[in-house]
Amino acid sequence: MDWGMKNRLSHIIDPKDGRTLMLAVDHGYFMGPTTGLEKMDQMVNPLLPYADTLMLTRGALRNYVSPHTRIPIVLRVSGGTSIVGPELLREGIIADMEDAIRLNVAGVAFSILVGATFERDTLLPFARVIDQAERYGIPVVAVTAVGKDMGKDARYLGLASRMAAEFGAHIVKTYYCPEFEKVVESCPVPIVIAGGKKQPEKDALQMAYDALQAGAIGVDMGRNIFQSEDPVAMVKAVRAIVHEAATPAEAYQKFQKEKGA
Ligand code: R5P
């Protein structure tokens, strides 16, 4: 691994503790103006001091985020289908590596849909993105997307995560599930969990804690932060779990204390 790749990875994963709090606000690429992100700049800017990286599309980055920010960017480079279309997550490349470099990103993210009839259509461009990213020392975060009717169990997520790593991903983002340690143990690269649909703050904090206990290095969380009744309090509470060894109870206490502050 060359210096540039290592340096970019250390902008995503904090070298002090090997953990990361990635803030995911890329939902608009297939969901449009997602609840909480209608005015993305107003939502995201107050959260940035507590996140390690920001994951979003190039359009959102150019339109909603100041170029003077110091937050490392993970750029979504896959897409092509929408939540109202017939083939959700049949994604291809939507941004070139040259544009990612122009945007000075720390990494790129690409979704694969293992098990779908069109899985090959997502896996082959994923491999091309890794080739291009390797050329310039840019880490690739593989997002193991899950279709509406697919189970999120350790066997399936373990398969998808391992495949992503064997294709060459540098970080895998997947979903938390029972026996999550099996997913982590059989994946040779660091794993972060997605937050998934909004749940009560207490449950989301417990999930983040359980994932870390099982070996995940952090979270790439969106809706459970920006759709929280207090997004800043919630990102601080998630940070306490990820970087400050807080228990779920301590983190929830922090959320309650910070709420409305
Ligand atoms: C989905 O493919 C997107 O990458 C989301 O950013 C990701 O699922 C994380 O967001 P959330 O925590 O809302 O699930």
Side-chain angles (χ1 to χ4, degrees):
M1 203 184 276
D2 70 13
W3 195 94
M5 176 70 79
K6 283 184 186 161
N7 181 253
R8 286 192 179 91
L9 275 171
S10 76
H11 289 169
I12 300 174
I13 302 168
D14 189 335
K16 290 199 284 290
D17 59 7
R19 289 190 165 178
T20 183
L21 194 176
M22 301 173 67
L23 178 62
V25 291
D26 57 330
H27 305 62
Y29 87 96
F30 76 112
M31 290 167 73
T34 315
T35 305
L37 296 182
E38 297 90 341
K39 295 177 179 168
M40 197 193 282
D41 47 348
Q42 291 177 21
M43 171 58 74
V44 166
N45 283 320
L47 302 176
L48 292 185
Y50 311 103
D52 295 309
T53 74
L54 184 64
M55 176 173 159
L56 74 180
T57 61
R58 59 180 169 182
L61 183 60
R62 287 196 167 104
N63 288 297
Y64 292 117
V65 182
S66 162
H68 304 299
T69 182
R70 297 177 68 93
I71 187 97
I73 300 299
V74 173
L75 187 73
R76 170 164 284 280
V77 296
S78 74
T81 58
S82 78
I83 195 146
V84 291
E87 283 187 312
L88 183 63
L89 295 165
R90 184 174 190 157
E91 299 189 358
I93 300 169
I94 60 164
D96 200 77
M97 207 53 63
E98 191 181 293
D99 209 25
I101 293 164
R102 194 176 294 121
L103 290 164
N104 196 29
V105 303
V108 297
F110 194 102
S111 289
I112 55 171
L113 194 38
V114 172
T117 49
F118 52 79
E119 61 179 6
R120 191 169 188 271
D121 293 349
T122 67
L123 287 164
L124 296 187
F126 171 57
R128 293 290 74 77
V129 161
I130 291 172
D131 281 336
Q132 291 168 6
E134 284 283 357
R135 198 169 299 145
Y136 303 110
I138 298 178
V140 177
V141 178
V143 180
T144 62
V146 180
K148 276 181 190 152
D149 306 320
M150 292 172 167
K152 286 185 191 168
D153 59 19
R155 196 158 170 213
Y156 171 71
L157 295 174
L159 168 85
S161 298
R162 176 62 175 264
M163 280 182 65
E166 297 231 7
F167 267 59
H170 305 91
I171 298 173
V172 168
K173 168 180 168 178
T174 191
Y175 290 89
Y176 181 70
C177 63
E179 302 186 291
F180 193 67
E181 59 284 351
K182 287 190 181 163
V183 179
V184 176
E185 279 163 14
S186 58
C187 181
V189 301
I191 290 192
V192 293
I193 60 151
K197 282 189 186 143
K198 170 78 176 72
Q199 32 178 344
E201 280 78 4
K202 206 174 192 171
D203 297 346
L205 293 169
Q206 181 73 50
M207 181 179 72
Y209 178 82
D210 291 344
L212 288 161
Q213 292 296 111
I217 61 145
V219 299
D220 187 11
M221 193 176 265
R223 287 163 290 180
N224 277 289
I225 293 175
F226 64 72
Q227 291 177 352
S228 165
E229 54 178 302
D230 190 325
V232 172
M234 185 58 177
V235 75
K236 286 181 181 175
V238 175
R239 188 167 185 88
I241 298 259
V242 172
H243 287 299
E244 295 156 26
T247 62
E250 288 165 345
Y252 189 61
Q253 248 176 15
K254 190 179 183 82
F255 171 73
Q256 295 283 27
K257 196 170 145 224
E258 299 275 347
K259 202 167 63 171

mmCIF file of all heavy atoms in Angstrom, residues 108-143:
data_model
loop_
_atom_site.group_PDB
_atom_site.id
_atom_site.type_symbol
_atom_site.label_atom_id
_atom_site.label_comp_id
_atom_site.label_asym_id
_atom_site.label_seq_id
_atom_site.Cartn_x
_atom_site.Cartn_y
_atom_site.Cartn_z
ATOM 1 N N VAL A 108 -13.792 6.828 -1.981
ATOM 2 C CA VAL A 108 -15.023 6.756 -2.774
ATOM 3 C C VAL A 108 -15.850 5.575 -2.274
ATOM 4 O O VAL A 108 -15.311 4.636 -1.674
ATOM 5 C CB VAL A 108 -14.743 6.613 -4.292
ATOM 6 C CG1 VAL A 108 -14.019 7.833 -4.837
ATOM 7 C CG2 VAL A 108 -13.973 5.335 -4.605
ATOM 8 N N ALA A 109 -17.164 5.628 -2.528
ATOM 9 C CA ALA A 109 -18.058 4.549 -2.069
ATOM 10 C C ALA A 109 -18.880 4.035 -3.241
ATOM 11 O O ALA A 109 -19.350 4.822 -4.080
ATOM 12 C CB ALA A 109 -18.981 5.060 -0.972
ATOM 13 N N PHE A 110 -19.037 2.725 -3.277
ATOM 14 C CA PHE A 110 -19.757 2.081 -4.387
ATOM 15 C C PHE A 110 -20.643 0.973 -3.811
ATOM 16 O O PHE A 110 -20.185 0.152 -3.016
ATOM 17 C CB PHE A 110 -18.736 1.475 -5.363
ATOM 18 C CG PHE A 110 -19.323 1.080 -6.686
ATOM 19 C CD1 PHE A 110 -19.140 1.877 -7.806
ATOM 20 C CD2 PHE A 110 -20.062 -0.099 -6.818
ATOM 21 C CE1 PHE A 110 -19.690 1.512 -9.033
ATOM 22 C CE2 PHE A 110 -20.613 -0.467 -8.036
ATOM 23 C CZ PHE A 110 -20.430 0.340 -9.151
ATOM 24 N N SER A 111 -21.906 0.931 -4.219
ATOM 25 C CA SER A 111 -22.826 -0.119 -3.730
ATOM 26 C C SER A 111 -22.835 -1.331 -4.651
ATOM 27 O O SER A 111 -22.913 -1.187 -5.873
ATOM 28 C CB SER A 111 -24.262 0.420 -3.661
ATOM 29 O OG SER A 111 -24.396 1.337 -2.630
ATOM 30 N N ILE A 112 -22.797 -2.502 -4.041
ATOM 31 C CA ILE A 112 -22.954 -3.745 -4.817
ATOM 32 C C ILE A 112 -24.210 -4.443 -4.298
ATOM 33 O O ILE A 112 -24.573 -4.295 -3.134
ATOM 34 C CB ILE A 112 -21.726 -4.668 -4.669
ATOM 35 C CG1 ILE A 112 -21.420 -4.967 -3.195
ATOM 36 C CG2 ILE A 112 -20.515 -4.051 -5.352
ATOM 37 C CD1 ILE A 112 -20.358 -6.031 -2.983
ATOM 38 N N LEU A 113 -24.861 -5.179 -5.185
ATOM 39 C CA LEU A 113 -26.074 -5.886 -4.746
ATOM 40 C C LEU A 113 -25.932 -7.375 -5.042
ATOM 41 O O LEU A 113 -26.425 -7.879 -6.063
ATOM 42 C CB LEU A 113 -27.328 -5.271 -5.386
ATOM 43 C CG LEU A 113 -28.661 -5.695 -4.760
ATOM 44 C CD1 LEU A 113 -28.583 -5.828 -3.235
ATOM 45 C CD2 LEU A 113 -29.748 -4.713 -5.095
ATOM 46 N N VAL A 114 -25.229 -8.044 -4.159
ATOM 47 C CA VAL A 114 -24.983 -9.487 -4.283
ATOM 48 C C VAL A 114 -26.317 -10.235 -4.125
ATOM 49 O O VAL A 114 -27.095 -9.934 -3.221
ATOM 50 C CB VAL A 114 -23.974 -9.940 -3.199
ATOM 51 C CG1 VAL A 114 -23.841 -11.448 -3.167
ATOM 52 C CG2 VAL A 114 -22.627 -9.267 -3.412
ATOM 53 N N GLY A 115 -26.556 -11.162 -5.018
ATOM 54 C CA GLY A 115 -27.766 -11.987 -4.920
ATOM 55 C C GLY A 115 -28.911 -11.497 -5.782
ATOM 56 O O GLY A 115 -29.882 -12.219 -5.995
ATOM 57 N N ALA A 116 -28.797 -10.272 -6.305
ATOM 58 C CA ALA A 116 -29.845 -9.766 -7.198
ATOM 59 C C ALA A 116 -29.671 -10.417 -8.572
ATOM 60 O O ALA A 116 -28.569 -10.869 -8.915
ATOM 61 C CB ALA A 116 -29.737 -8.252 -7.321
ATOM 62 N N THR A 117 -30.734 -10.468 -9.366
ATOM 63 C CA THR A 117 -30.608 -11.038 -10.721
ATOM 64 C C THR A 117 -29.564 -10.257 -11.523
ATOM 65 O O THR A 117 -28.919 -10.810 -12.402
ATOM 66 C CB THR A 117 -31.958 -10.974 -11.470
ATOM 67 O OG1 THR A 117 -32.468 -9.649 -11.324
ATOM 68 C CG2 THR A 117 -32.948 -11.979 -10.915
ATOM 69 N N PHE A 118 -29.424 -8.980 -11.178
ATOM 70 C CA PHE A 118 -28.486 -8.130 -11.920
ATOM 71 C C PHE A 118 -27.178 -7.914 -11.151
ATOM 72 O O PHE A 118 -26.487 -6.935 -11.365
ATOM 73 C CB PHE A 118 -29.141 -6.770 -12.218
ATOM 74 C CG PHE A 118 -29.722 -6.108 -11.002
ATOM 75 C CD1 PHE A 118 -28.906 -5.434 -10.092
ATOM 76 C CD2 PHE A 118 -31.083 -6.163 -10.739
ATOM 77 C CE1 PHE A 118 -29.424 -4.834 -8.963
ATOM 78 C CE2 PHE A 118 -31.620 -5.551 -9.598
ATOM 79 C CZ PHE A 118 -30.787 -4.890 -8.710
ATOM 80 N N GLU A 119 -26.832 -8.836 -10.252
ATOM 81 C CA GLU A 119 -25.649 -8.620 -9.393
ATOM 82 C C GLU A 119 -24.391 -8.282 -10.207
ATOM 83 O O GLU A 119 -23.591 -7.437 -9.827
ATOM 84 C CB GLU A 119 -25.385 -9.826 -8.481
ATOM 85 C CG GLU A 119 -25.113 -11.124 -9.215
ATOM 86 C CD GLU A 119 -24.827 -12.307 -8.278
ATOM 87 O OE1 GLU A 119 -24.942 -12.169 -7.056
ATOM 88 O OE2 GLU A 119 -24.478 -13.382 -8.818
ATOM 89 N N ARG A 120 -24.251 -8.982 -11.360
ATOM 90 C CA ARG A 120 -23.071 -8.789 -12.202
ATOM 91 C C ARG A 120 -22.946 -7.328 -12.659
ATOM 92 O O ARG A 120 -21.842 -6.805 -12.794
ATOM 93 C CB ARG A 120 -23.218 -9.725 -13.402
ATOM 94 C CG ARG A 120 -22.024 -9.886 -14.264
ATOM 95 C CD ARG A 120 -22.266 -11.049 -15.232
ATOM 96 N NE ARG A 120 -21.068 -11.363 -15.975
ATOM 97 C CZ ARG A 120 -20.750 -10.798 -17.120
ATOM 98 N NH1 ARG A 120 -21.556 -9.895 -17.646
ATOM 99 N NH2 ARG A 120 -19.637 -11.133 -17.734
ATOM 100 N N ASP A 121 -24.105 -6.696 -12.893
ATOM 101 C CA ASP A 121 -24.083 -5.305 -13.368
ATOM 102 C C ASP A 121 -23.557 -4.351 -12.313
ATOM 103 O O ASP A 121 -23.152 -3.235 -12.615
ATOM 104 C CB ASP A 121 -25.503 -4.852 -13.763
ATOM 105 C CG ASP A 121 -26.007 -5.595 -14.975
ATOM 106 O OD1 ASP A 121 -25.204 -6.288 -15.624
ATOM 107 O OD2 ASP A 121 -27.209 -5.502 -15.259
ATOM 108 N N THR A 122 -23.625 -4.759 -11.041
ATOM 109 C CA THR A 122 -23.066 -3.899 -9.996
ATOM 110 C C THR A 122 -21.630 -4.319 -9.662
ATOM 111 O O THR A 122 -20.804 -3.482 -9.311
ATOM 112 C CB THR A 122 -23.921 -3.920 -8.701
ATOM 113 O OG1 THR A 122 -23.852 -5.216 -8.087
ATOM 114 C CG2 THR A 122 -25.371 -3.586 -8.980
ATOM 115 N N LEU A 123 -21.345 -5.615 -9.789
ATOM 116 C CA LEU A 123 -20.019 -6.098 -9.377
ATOM 117 C C LEU A 123 -18.923 -5.734 -10.384
ATOM 118 O O LEU A 123 -17.801 -5.399 -9.978
ATOM 119 C CB LEU A 123 -20.059 -7.613 -9.165
ATOM 120 C CG LEU A 123 -20.817 -8.046 -7.894
ATOM 121 C CD1 LEU A 123 -21.163 -9.529 -7.930
ATOM 122 C CD2 LEU A 123 -19.993 -7.726 -6.651
ATOM 123 N N LEU A 124 -19.238 -5.797 -11.672
ATOM 124 C CA LEU A 124 -18.168 -5.519 -12.645
ATOM 125 C C LEU A 124 -17.737 -4.044 -12.635
ATOM 126 O O LEU A 124 -16.533 -3.766 -12.597
ATOM 127 C CB LEU A 124 -18.568 -6.013 -14.038
ATOM 128 C CG LEU A 124 -18.762 -7.541 -14.129
ATOM 129 C CD1 LEU A 124 -18.987 -7.985 -15.577
ATOM 130 C CD2 LEU A 124 -17.597 -8.315 -13.533
ATOM 131 N N PRO A 125 -18.672 -3.084 -12.611
ATOM 132 C CA PRO A 125 -18.203 -1.690 -12.479
ATOM 133 C C PRO A 125 -17.512 -1.416 -11.153
ATOM 134 O O PRO A 125 -16.620 -0.563 -11.069
ATOM 135 C CB PRO A 125 -19.473 -0.849 -12.635
ATOM 136 C CG PRO A 125 -20.618 -1.779 -12.559
ATOM 137 C CD PRO A 125 -20.130 -3.159 -12.868
ATOM 138 N N PHE A 126 -17.910 -2.148 -10.127
ATOM 139 C CA PHE A 126 -17.242 -2.021 -8.811
ATOM 140 C C PHE A 126 -15.755 -2.362 -8.975
ATOM 141 O O PHE A 126 -14.868 -1.648 -8.469
ATOM 142 C CB PHE A 126 -17.946 -2.968 -7.836
ATOM 143 C CG PHE A 126 -17.291 -3.136 -6.497
ATOM 144 C CD1 PHE A 126 -17.038 -2.050 -5.686
ATOM 145 C CD2 PHE A 126 -16.955 -4.405 -6.036
ATOM 146 C CE1 PHE A 126 -16.451 -2.214 -4.434
ATOM 147 C CE2 PHE A 126 -16.377 -4.584 -4.794
ATOM 148 C CZ PHE A 126 -16.115 -3.485 -3.993
ATOM 149 N N ALA A 127 -15.483 -3.446 -9.696
ATOM 150 C CA ALA A 127 -14.085 -3.838 -9.923
ATOM 151 C C ALA A 127 -13.333 -2.760 -10.708
ATOM 152 O O ALA A 127 -12.171 -2.455 -10.408
ATOM 153 C CB ALA A 127 -14.042 -5.174 -10.677
ATOM 154 N N ARG A 128 -13.998 -2.145 -11.669
ATOM 155 C CA ARG A 128 -13.342 -1.080 -12.464
ATOM 156 C C ARG A 128 -13.037 0.136 -11.584
ATOM 157 O O ARG A 128 -11.985 0.762 -11.708
ATOM 158 C CB ARG A 128 -14.239 -0.648 -13.637
ATOM 159 C CG ARG A 128 -14.475 -1.678 -14.714
ATOM 160 C CD ARG A 128 -13.241 -1.985 -15.568
ATOM 161 N NE ARG A 128 -12.230 -2.796 -14.860
ATOM 162 C CZ ARG A 128 -12.320 -4.108 -14.658
ATOM 163 N NH1 ARG A 128 -13.343 -4.772 -15.113
ATOM 164 N NH2 ARG A 128 -11.363 -4.767 -14.012
ATOM 165 N N VAL A 129 -13.964 0.452 -10.694
ATOM 166 C CA VAL A 129 -13.745 1.594 -9.787
ATOM 167 C C VAL A 129 -12.534 1.312 -8.894
ATOM 168 O O VAL A 129 -11.706 2.199 -8.653
ATOM 169 C CB VAL A 129 -15.022 1.877 -8.954
ATOM 170 C CG1 VAL A 129 -14.711 2.703 -7.715
ATOM 171 C CG2 VAL A 129 -16.046 2.601 -9.809
ATOM 172 N N ILE A 130 -12.402 0.074 -8.434
ATOM 173 C CA ILE A 130 -11.245 -0.257 -7.587
ATOM 174 C C ILE A 130 -9.948 -0.119 -8.393
ATOM 175 O O ILE A 130 -8.963 0.435 -7.900
ATOM 176 C CB ILE A 130 -11.396 -1.661 -6.975
ATOM 177 C CG1 ILE A 130 -12.539 -1.644 -5.957
ATOM 178 C CG2 ILE A 130 -10.102 -2.108 -6.295
ATOM 179 C CD1 ILE A 130 -12.930 -2.989 -5.416
ATOM 180 N N ASP A 131 -9.963 -0.577 -9.641
ATOM 181 C CA ASP A 131 -8.765 -0.418 -10.489
ATOM 182 C C ASP A 131 -8.371 1.053 -10.607
ATOM 183 O O ASP A 131 -7.207 1.411 -10.435
ATOM 184 C CB ASP A 131 -9.038 -0.966 -11.902
ATOM 185 C CG ASP A 131 -8.947 -2.481 -11.954
ATOM 186 O OD1 ASP A 131 -8.259 -3.068 -11.090
ATOM 187 O OD2 ASP A 131 -9.582 -3.080 -12.845
ATOM 188 N N GLN A 132 -9.373 1.888 -10.905
ATOM 189 C CA GLN A 132 -9.076 3.329 -11.070
ATOM 190 C C GLN A 132 -8.617 3.944 -9.749
ATOM 191 O O GLN A 132 -7.686 4.748 -9.718
ATOM 192 C CB GLN A 132 -10.325 4.069 -11.543
ATOM 193 C CG GLN A 132 -10.737 3.734 -12.947
ATOM 194 C CD GLN A 132 -12.143 4.277 -13.257
ATOM 195 O OE1 GLN A 132 -12.746 4.984 -12.461
ATOM 196 N NE2 GLN A 132 -12.649 3.930 -14.418
ATOM 197 N N ALA A 133 -9.279 3.570 -8.663
ATOM 198 C CA ALA A 133 -8.948 4.150 -7.357
ATOM 199 C C ALA A 133 -7.546 3.731 -6.923
ATOM 200 O O ALA A 133 -6.781 4.541 -6.392
ATOM 201 C CB ALA A 133 -9.993 3.721 -6.324
ATOM 202 N N GLU A 134 -7.195 2.485 -7.165
ATOM 203 C CA GLU A 134 -5.847 2.002 -6.810
ATOM 204 C C GLU A 134 -4.787 2.807 -7.549
ATOM 205 O O GLU A 134 -3.722 3.101 -7.011
ATOM 206 C CB GLU A 134 -5.697 0.517 -7.169
ATOM 207 C CG GLU A 134 -6.384 -0.445 -6.209
ATOM 208 C CD GLU A 134 -5.610 -0.647 -4.896
ATOM 209 O OE1 GLU A 134 -4.510 -0.096 -4.738
ATOM 210 O OE2 GLU A 134 -6.171 -1.341 -4.015
ATOM 211 N N ARG A 135 -5.098 3.152 -8.793
ATOM 212 C CA ARG A 135 -4.132 3.903 -9.610
ATOM 213 C C ARG A 135 -3.731 5.205 -8.923
ATOM 214 O O ARG A 135 -2.612 5.671 -9.044
ATOM 215 C CB ARG A 135 -4.788 4.183 -10.970
ATOM 216 C CG ARG A 135 -3.832 4.557 -12.069
ATOM 217 C CD ARG A 135 -4.542 4.552 -13.419
ATOM 218 N NE ARG A 135 -5.085 3.255 -13.799
ATOM 219 C CZ ARG A 135 -6.205 3.066 -14.481
ATOM 220 N NH1 ARG A 135 -6.915 4.087 -14.896
ATOM 221 N NH2 ARG A 135 -6.605 1.852 -14.780
ATOM 222 N N TYR A 136 -4.676 5.819 -8.207
ATOM 223 C CA TYR A 136 -4.408 7.125 -7.592
ATOM 224 C C TYR A 136 -4.325 7.073 -6.069
ATOM 225 O O TYR A 136 -4.290 8.111 -5.412
ATOM 226 C CB TYR A 136 -5.500 8.117 -8.024
ATOM 227 C CG TYR A 136 -5.596 8.246 -9.526
ATOM 228 C CD1 TYR A 136 -6.687 7.737 -10.210
ATOM 229 C CD2 TYR A 136 -4.567 8.836 -10.256
ATOM 230 C CE1 TYR A 136 -6.777 7.830 -11.591
ATOM 231 C CE2 TYR A 136 -4.635 8.931 -11.635
ATOM 232 C CZ TYR A 136 -5.744 8.422 -12.305
ATOM 233 O OH TYR A 136 -5.817 8.517 -13.656
ATOM 234 N N GLY A 137 -4.318 5.880 -5.506
ATOM 235 C CA GLY A 137 -4.200 5.756 -4.049
ATOM 236 C C GLY A 137 -5.446 6.197 -3.298
ATOM 237 O O GLY A 137 -5.350 6.798 -2.223
ATOM 238 N N ILE A 138 -6.606 5.910 -3.852
ATOM 239 C CA ILE A 138 -7.865 6.324 -3.220
ATOM 240 C C ILE A 138 -8.592 5.095 -2.659
ATOM 241 O O ILE A 138 -8.905 4.163 -3.400
ATOM 242 C CB ILE A 138 -8.766 7.059 -4.239
ATOM 243 C CG1 ILE A 138 -8.055 8.329 -4.722
ATOM 244 C CG2 ILE A 138 -10.133 7.384 -3.628
ATOM 245 C CD1 ILE A 138 -8.805 9.116 -5.755
ATOM 246 N N PRO A 139 -8.864 5.074 -1.356
ATOM 247 C CA PRO A 139 -9.583 3.925 -0.777
ATOM 248 C C PRO A 139 -11.016 3.810 -1.300
ATOM 249 O O PRO A 139 -11.662 4.826 -1.559
ATOM 250 C CB PRO A 139 -9.608 4.246 0.727
ATOM 251 C CG PRO A 139 -8.637 5.350 0.937
ATOM 252 C CD PRO A 139 -8.507 6.085 -0.347
ATOM 253 N N VAL A 140 -11.473 2.580 -1.427
ATOM 254 C CA VAL A 140 -12.849 2.329 -1.875
ATOM 255 C C VAL A 140 -13.642 1.697 -0.730
ATOM 256 O O VAL A 140 -13.231 0.690 -0.159
ATOM 257 C CB VAL A 140 -12.884 1.384 -3.096
ATOM 258 C CG1 VAL A 140 -14.330 1.079 -3.494
ATOM 259 C CG2 VAL A 140 -12.118 1.997 -4.272
ATOM 260 N N VAL A 141 -14.757 2.325 -0.403
ATOM 261 C CA VAL A 141 -15.690 1.768 0.586
ATOM 262 C C VAL A 141 -16.758 1.014 -0.199
ATOM 263 O O VAL A 141 -17.463 1.606 -1.020
ATOM 264 C CB VAL A 141 -16.373 2.882 1.416
ATOM 265 C CG1 VAL A 141 -17.374 2.276 2.409
ATOM 266 C CG2 VAL A 141 -15.340 3.739 2.133
ATOM 267 N N ALA A 142 -16.853 -0.302 0.043
ATOM 268 C CA ALA A 142 -17.907 -1.089 -0.605
ATOM 269 C C ALA A 142 -19.136 -1.046 0.266
ATOM 270 O O ALA A 142 -19.062 -1.306 1.463
ATOM 271 C CB ALA A 142 -17.455 -2.530 -0.769
ATOM 272 N N VAL A 143 -20.263 -0.695 -0.328
ATOM 273 C CA VAL A 143 -21.530 -0.697 0.405
ATOM 274 C C VAL A 143 -22.274 -1.965 0.002
ATOM 275 O O VAL A 143 -22.632 -2.132 -1.157
ATOM 276 C CB VAL A 143 -22.373 0.549 0.051
ATOM 277 C CG1 VAL A 143 -23.692 0.545 0.822
ATOM 278 C CG2 VAL A 143 -21.589 1.830 0.320
#
